[in-house]
C-alpha cells in the first residue's frame, strides 16, 4: 500500500520522503544502475584501488615536495595568514552563534568538519551570517568580499577536514545535457520542481528556485547539503554527473522559454489562474461590450 | 439571385428544411452579456475540435519504447514512449505544431472555465426551473464530459506530470474495497502503468467522449431552441414572450464575429504564453515526482480533496485495508456533484412550484438559493485552493501545515459563513429595492420646509426601473395540509420544514396598492 499512497498523496508523502532523505543525508532515489554497478565490484577491488591510490599520491607528493619546497613554504605562510584573517572575521561575525571555536552553541551548529565548501556556499549565497532565527536561513545580499569568504573558509577548514571548494575545472567544458536532465528529475525535482522553480517543504521550510545560482554554489550545495537538502557525495553522483546537472540547469536558465512566457514555471496552477483571470476576463469583457453596444 | 433561389428550392424540395430554418431564424436572443457565456463554451469547443484534428495527424498513441532523436537537446537519447516522443516532435519539429498544441490546451482550459461560469449564471438566475430542468442535467453532463476530455487529453503525452496524475487515478481506483484492484488492472491492462493505457485513453479522448459530447451538445442546443431563452424582467418582457434580436440575420452575424473573437483571444494567448511544457517534465517514470505537481485547474478540486484528508485514515480490518483517506473524499465529491446535478428537482420539490418560468430571477430575489449557491462555490473554491497548498506556502512564506489546517477549517466554516452572509446581503438588497420602488432614489438635495424642517428630496424611479424592481415572485413557506387520507406523512413534514427554511425570511415586492400610496407620500 505504501507505494500506492506515494502516488495518491503525492504532495504530502513525498514531503515526508524528503525529510527522510535529509535526516539520513543520503539519497535513496539515485538510479539503481549506479548501485548495481558499485555492488558488482569485487571486494578485493577496493583494496587494490586504495593501494594504487596511495602509491600514486605518495609518488606525486614526493615529486612535488622535491621540486617545489620553496613554493610550499611560501603558500604555507600565505595560508597561515588567511586562516588568521578568517579567525578574526569569524570571531567578529559568526562566533556569537557558532561559538568562539566554531564548536556550536544553542544558536548555531558546530562547524567542525563542514569544510570550506559549506562556508563558501553559506556565506557566498548570503545565507550566513544568519540575520534572524526562522524556519530556514534567508538569503540576503552577500556581506563579505571574495577574499574575506576565502579567509573564513580557510579558517573553518583548518579546524577539521571537510569538503573543499570545488575547482572551476570540475564543471566547465563539455557536458551531457540529457544525463543532467534525467539526474535532475530523479534527484532534485521532488524538492526543487522539474523546472527548478522551487517547492515547499514541511514546517515552513522550502527548497529555493535554482535559476541564477552560480555553478560553484550549485556544486557546493550538492556536496554539503545545506539544511534540509541531502548530501550528494561522489558515490551518489559522480563529479561528471554533478557537472551534467549544472550544465542542464544553466541550459534551462539561458535558453529562452519555448512557446512563450513561462508564467513562473509553476505548471497547471499558474496556467489555470491565467486562463480564469486573463483569458476568461478578456472574453467576458468582449461579451459585455457587445451587449452594451446592442442596447 | 436566381441561382440561389433555385438552389434553395432544390434543397428544400428534397429535405423540407425550410421550416426548421425559418423556425431557427426566428429564435430570439435576449441581449444581456451573461447569456453569451454558453456561446464562449461552444466556440472554444469548436477551436478544440479544429486544433485537435491537427494534433491527431502527428500524435502516435503508443507506449512502445523509443529513444528520442528530435531537436530538443536535453532529451536526446533518452528512452521514452512513442506518445511522448511524438508530442515532442509536434512541439519542436512540426511546423505550427507547438502553436496548435498550445491553442488546444488553452482552449480546453477556457472551455471548462466558460462552462463553469455559464452554469453559475444559469444557477443564480434560476434559469434551471421548469421547463428547463432537463437541459440543466444535460448541461451538467456536458460539464462532466468536458472534464473527462480534459483529463484524458492531459494524460496523452505520457510525460512525468500526467503520469503522476494517472498514478493518482490508479491509487483512487485501488482504494475501493474488493473491486478496486480489479478495475485498476482492467484499465491499465495489468499492473500500473502497463503498456495499454495511453492507446485506450486516446480512443476515449478522440472518439467516444467527443461523440457523446457532441450528441449531448446538440440536444442541449435543441432544447434551448424549444424552451426559448429566459430574460430578465422589464416592461414588455413577460413570462410569455422573449424580447431580443432574432437569430437571422443580426444575431448570426454577431455570433460569427464573436466566434472569431474567441478564436483570436485563444491564438493570441497560445502564441505568447507557454502551457504544459512537457520537455521540462520529461518522460514518465514511476520513481520521480516533481515538487508542485498539480492537475489542470478543473481537476484541482479533486486533488485538493485528497490533500485535505488528515493523515492516518487507513485501517486494516480482518486482513483488508480500508482506505478512508480515499473513500471519504471520493464520497464527498460524489455527493457534491450529484447535488449539483439534481438541484432543480430539489428546489422544485421544496417550493412545490409547478408553473413554467421564463423570467430570469435577479439573484437577490431568491435569497436562499443564492446563498446555497454561494456556499457551494465556497466549498468548491476551498478544495480548489487546496490543490495549490504547496504553492501558497512557498509564495506567501507560510508553513504547509498551516495552509492545510486553515483550509481544512475553511472547508466547513467557509460555506456556512458564505451562506449566512449572502442571505443577509440579498435580503438587504431586496429591502433597498423595495424602498426605492416606494420612495424613489435619494437625490442628495436637502430642502428646508417652511416650518424649519429639513427633508431630503427623493427622486421617483422611472416606470421602466420600477418594473425591474417589483416584478419578482414571492414565495411563502408551504403549509402542511393533510392528504386525502387525512394523514401527514414524513415526506410532507420534511418538505414543509425545508420550505420554511427557504422562505421564512423574505421581503415581499412592493404591491400595487403600496406603490400608489408611496407616490402620495
Amino acid at each position: 500500500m505504501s507505494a500506492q499512497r506515494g502516488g495518491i498523496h503525492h504532495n504530502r508523502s513525498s514531503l515526508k520522503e524528503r525529510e527522510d532523505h535529509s535526516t539520513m543525508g543520503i539519497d535513496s532515489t539515485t538510479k539503481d544502475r549506479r548501485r548495481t554497478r558499485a555492488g558488482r565490484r569485487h571486494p578485493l577491488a577496493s583494496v587494490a584501488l586504495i593501494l594504487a591510490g596511495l602509491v600514486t599520491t605518495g609518488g606525486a607528493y614526493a615529486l612535488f615536495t622535491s621540486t617545489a619546497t620553496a613554493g610550499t613554504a611560501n603558500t604555507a605562510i600565505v595560508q597561515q595568514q588567511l586562516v588568521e584573517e578568517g579567525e578574526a572575521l569569524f570571531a567578529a561575525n559568526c562566533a556569537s552563534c557558532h561559538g568562539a571555536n566554531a564548536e556550536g552553541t544553542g544558536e548555531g551548529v558546530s562547524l567542525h568538519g563542514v569544510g570550506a565548501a559549506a562556508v563558501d556556499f553559506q556565506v557566498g549565497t548570503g545565507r550566513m551570517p544568519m540575520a534572524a532565527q526562522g524556519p530556514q536561513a534567508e538569503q540576503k545580499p552577500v556581506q563579505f568580499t571574495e577574499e574575506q569568504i576565502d579567509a573564513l573558509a580557510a579558517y573553518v577548514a583548518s579546524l577539521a577536514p571537510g569538503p573543499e571548494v570545488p575547482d572551476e575545472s570540475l564543471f566547465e567544458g563539455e557536458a551531457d545535457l540529457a544525463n543532467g536532465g534525467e539526474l535532475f528529475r530523479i534527484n532534485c525535482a521532488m524538492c526543487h520542481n522539474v523546472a527548478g522553480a522551487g517547492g515547499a517543504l514541511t514546517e515552513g521550510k522550502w527548497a529555493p528556485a535554482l535559476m541564477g545560482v552560480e555553478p560553484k554554489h550549485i556544486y557546493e550545495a550538492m556536496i554539503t547539503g545545506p539544511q534540509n537538502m541531502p548530501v550528494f557525495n561522489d558515490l551518489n553522483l559522480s563529479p561528471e554527473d554533478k557537472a551534467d546537472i549544472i550544465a542542464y540547469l544553466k541550459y534551462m536558465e539561458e535558453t529562452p522559454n519555448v512557446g512563450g512566457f513561462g508564467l513562473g514555471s509553476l505548471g497547471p496552477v499558474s496556467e489555470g489562474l491565467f486562463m480564469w483571470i486573463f483569458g476568461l476576463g478578456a472574453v467576458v469583457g468582449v461579451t459585455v461590450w457587445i451587449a452594451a453596444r446592442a442596447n | 439571385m436566381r441561382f440561389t433561389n433555385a438552389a434553395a428550392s432544390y434543397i428544400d424540395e428534397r429535405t423540407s428544411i425550410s421550416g426548421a430554418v425559418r423556425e431557427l431564424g426566428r429564435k430570439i436572443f435576449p441581449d444581456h452579456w451573461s447569456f453569451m457565456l454558453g456561446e464562449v463554451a461552444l466556440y472554444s469547443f469548436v477551436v478544440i475540435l479544429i486544433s485537435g484534428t491537427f494534433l491527431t495527424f502527428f500524435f502516435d498513441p503508443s507506449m512502445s519504447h523509443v529513444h528520442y532523436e528530435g531537436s530538443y537537446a536535453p532529451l536526446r537519447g533518452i528512452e521514452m514512449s512513442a506518445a511522448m516522443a511524438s508530442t515532442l516532435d509536434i512541439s519542436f519539429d512540426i511546423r505550427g505544431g507547438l502553436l496548435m498544441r498550445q491553442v488546444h490546451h488553452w482552449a480546453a482550459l477556457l472551455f471548462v472555465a466558460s462552462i463553469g461560469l455559464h452554469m453559475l449564471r444559469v444557477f443564480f438566475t434560476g434559469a434551471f426551473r421548469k421547463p428547463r430542468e432537463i437541459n440543466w442535467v444535460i448541461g451538467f453532463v456536458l460539464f462532466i464530459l468536458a472534464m473527462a476530455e480534459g483529463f484524458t487529453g492531459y494524460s496523452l503525452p505520457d510525460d512525468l506530470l500526467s503520469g503522476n496524475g494517472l498514478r493518482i487515478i490508479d491509487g483512487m481506483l485501488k482504494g475501493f474495497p474488493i473491486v478496486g484492484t480489479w478495475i485498476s488492472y482492467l484499465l491499465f491492462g495489468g499492473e500500473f502503468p502497463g503498456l495499454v493505457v495511453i492507446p485506450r485513453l486516446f480512443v476515449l479522448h478522440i472518439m467516444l467522449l467527443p461523440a457523446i459530447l457532441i450528441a449531448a451538445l446538440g440536444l442541449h442546443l435543441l432544447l434551448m431552441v424549444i424552451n426559448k431563452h429566459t430574460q430578465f424582467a422589464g416592461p414588455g418582457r413577460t413570462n410569455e414572450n422573449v424580447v431580443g434580436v432574432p437569430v437571422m440575420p443580426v444575431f448570426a452575424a454577431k455570433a460569427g464575429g464573436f466566434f472569431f473573437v474567441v478564436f483570436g483571444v485563444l491564438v493570441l494567448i497560445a502564441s505568447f504564453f507557454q502551457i504544459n511544457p512537457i520537455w521540462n517534465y520529461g518522460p514518465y517514470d514511476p520513481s520521480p515526482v516533481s515538487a508542485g505537481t498539480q492537475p489542470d485547474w478543473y481537476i484541482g478540486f479533486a486533488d485538493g480533496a485528497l490533500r485535505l484528508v488528515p493523515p492516518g485514515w487507513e485501517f486494516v480490518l480482518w486482513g483488508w485495508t480500508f482506505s478512508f483517506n480515499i473513500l471519504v473524499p471520493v464520497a464527498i465529491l460524489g455527493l457534491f456533484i450529484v447535488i449539483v446535478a439534481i438541484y432543480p428537482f430539489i428546489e422544485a420539490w421544496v417550493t412545490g412550484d409547478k408553473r413554467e418560468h421564463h423570467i430570469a430571477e435577479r439573484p437577490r430575489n431568491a435569497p436562499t438559493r443564492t446563498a446555497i449557491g454561494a456556499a457551494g462555490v465556497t466549498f468548491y473554491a476551498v478544495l480548489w485552493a487546496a490543490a495549490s497548498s504547496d504553492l501558497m506556502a512557498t509564495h506567501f512564506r507560510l508553513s504547509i501545515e498551516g495552509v492545510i489546517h486553515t483550509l481544512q477549517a475553511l472547508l466547513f466554516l467557509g460555506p456556512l459563513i458564505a451562506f449566512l452572509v449572502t442571505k443577509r446581503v440579498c435580503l438587504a438588497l431586496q429591502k433597498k429595492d423595495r424602498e426605492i420602488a416606494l420612495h424613489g432614489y435619494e437625490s442628495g438635495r436637502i430642502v428646508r420646509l417652511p416650518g424649519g424642517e429639513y427633508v431630503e428630496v427623493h427622486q421617483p424611479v422611472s416606470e421602466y426601473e420600477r418594473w425591474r424592481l417589483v416584478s419578482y415572485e414571492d414565495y411563502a413557506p408551504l403549509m402542511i395540509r393533510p392528504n386525502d387520507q387525512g394523514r401527514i406523512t414524513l415526506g410532507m413534514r420534511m418538505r414543509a420544514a425545508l420550505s420554511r427554511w427557504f422562505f421564512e425570511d423574505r421581503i415581499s415586492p412592493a404591491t400595487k396598492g403600496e406603490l400608489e400610496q408611496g407616490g402620495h407620500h
Side-chain angles (χ1 to χ4, degrees), chain B residues 125-172:
Chain B
T125 59
F128 56 78
R129 291 173 298 169
K130 189 178 170 189
R132 297 181 181 77
E133 311 97 312
I134 301 204
N135 224 14
W136 167 269
V137 176
I138 296 175
F140 168 82
V141 170
L142 284 171
F143 184 54
I144 300 289
L145 285 171
M147 290 197 288
E149 274 287 25
F151 188 80
T152 49
Y154 165 92
S155 305
L156 289 182
D158 199 22
D159 57 308
L160 187 58
L161 189 66
S162 69
N164 286 325
L166 278 178
R167 184 57 159 167
I168 296 178
I169 296 291
D170 173 51
M172 283 172 92

Side-chain angles (χ1 to χ4, degrees), chain B residues 322-395:
Chain B
F322 290 89
S323 305
F324 286 106
N325 50 352
I326 291 166
L327 295 176
V328 170
V330 167
I332 290 178
L333 291 183
L335 191 71
F336 179 72
I337 283 176
V338 168
I339 290 178
V340 172
I342 63 168
Y343 183 80
F345 306 99
I346 302 178
E347 192 182 301
W349 180 72
V350 171
T351 56
D353 189 352
K354 299 219 163 43
R355 291 168 298 170
E356 291 205 350
H357 294 280
H358 299 292
I359 294 288
E361 274 182 307
R362 297 171 79 204
R364 66 183 65 174
N365 290 333
T368 307
R369 177 203 303 140
T370 305
I372 291 176
V377 169
T378 312
F379 182 77
Y380 183 91
V382 172
L383 291 178
W384 196 24
S388 54
S389 51
D390 53 328
L391 291 176
M392 285 196 273
T394 46
H395 285 249

Side-chain angles (χ1 to χ4, degrees), chain B residues 205-228:
Chain B
H205 184 75
I206 69 154
M207 212 171 82
L208 200 58
L209 290 173
I212 306 174
L213 207 155
I214 290 172
L217 184 62
L219 213 56
H220 193 65
L221 296 180
L222 189 68
L223 273 178
M224 179 198 72
V225 173
I226 293 173
N227 290 333
K228 307 207 171 51

Side-chain angles (χ1 to χ4, degrees), chain A residues 49-205:
Chain A
L49 256 176
I50 290 170
L51 262 176
L54 281 176
V55 168
T56 40
T57 41
Y61 183 69
L63 221 105
F64 187 73
T65 39
S66 61
T67 54
T69 332
T72 26
N74 244 341
T75 33
I77 293 169
V78 172
Q79 187 70 18
Q80 191 51 38
Q81 276 173 345
L82 207 59
V83 168
E84 274 162 19
E85 190 192 335
E87 188 167 6
L89 279 169
F90 192 88
N93 296 291
C94 323
S96 58
C97 297
H98 289 292
N101 297 314
E103 74 282 11
T105 67
E107 301 288 300
V109 291
S110 158
L111 299 184
H112 289 228
V114 301
V119 177
D120 194 60
F121 173 80
Q122 297 281 351
V123 183
T125 60
R127 286 183 167 79
M128 290 291 147
M130 207 163 127
Q133 290 291 351
Q136 183 164 316
E138 299 266 350
Q139 256 179 291
K140 307 176 299 301
V142 181
Q143 296 192 4
F144 297 95
T145 63
E146 202 59 48
E147 290 80 47
Q148 288 172 320
I149 297 174
D150 288 346
L152 280 167
Y155 167 65
V156 171
S158 73
L159 300 171
E164 281 167 36
V165 175
D167 197 71
E168 301 272 312
S169 63
L170 279 174
F171 40 80
E172 271 170 5
E174 285 291 295
D176 182 350
L177 280 180
N179 183 43
E182 195 173 21
L183 289 172
F184 182 79
R185 283 189 292 275
I186 293 169
N187 294 294
C188 323
M190 72 277 223
C191 295
H192 288 286
N193 165 299
V194 275
L201 304 184
T202 51
E203 290 162 9
K205 301 195 187 90

Side-chain angles (χ1 to χ4, degrees), chain B residues 289-340:
Chain B
V289 177
S290 164
T293 296
Q294 263 97 7
D296 270 356
W297 76 262
Y298 41 85
I299 307 290
F301 73 114
D303 189 37
L306 291 175
R307 290 188 187 204
L308 286 187
V309 178
W313 279 20
E314 213 176 40
F315 307 100
V316 178
L317 271 185
W318 312 296
W320 295 91
T321 307
F322 290 89
S323 305
F324 286 106
N325 50 352
I326 291 166
L327 295 176
V328 170
V330 167
I332 290 178
L333 291 183
L335 191 71
F336 179 72
I337 283 176
V338 168
I339 290 178
V340 172

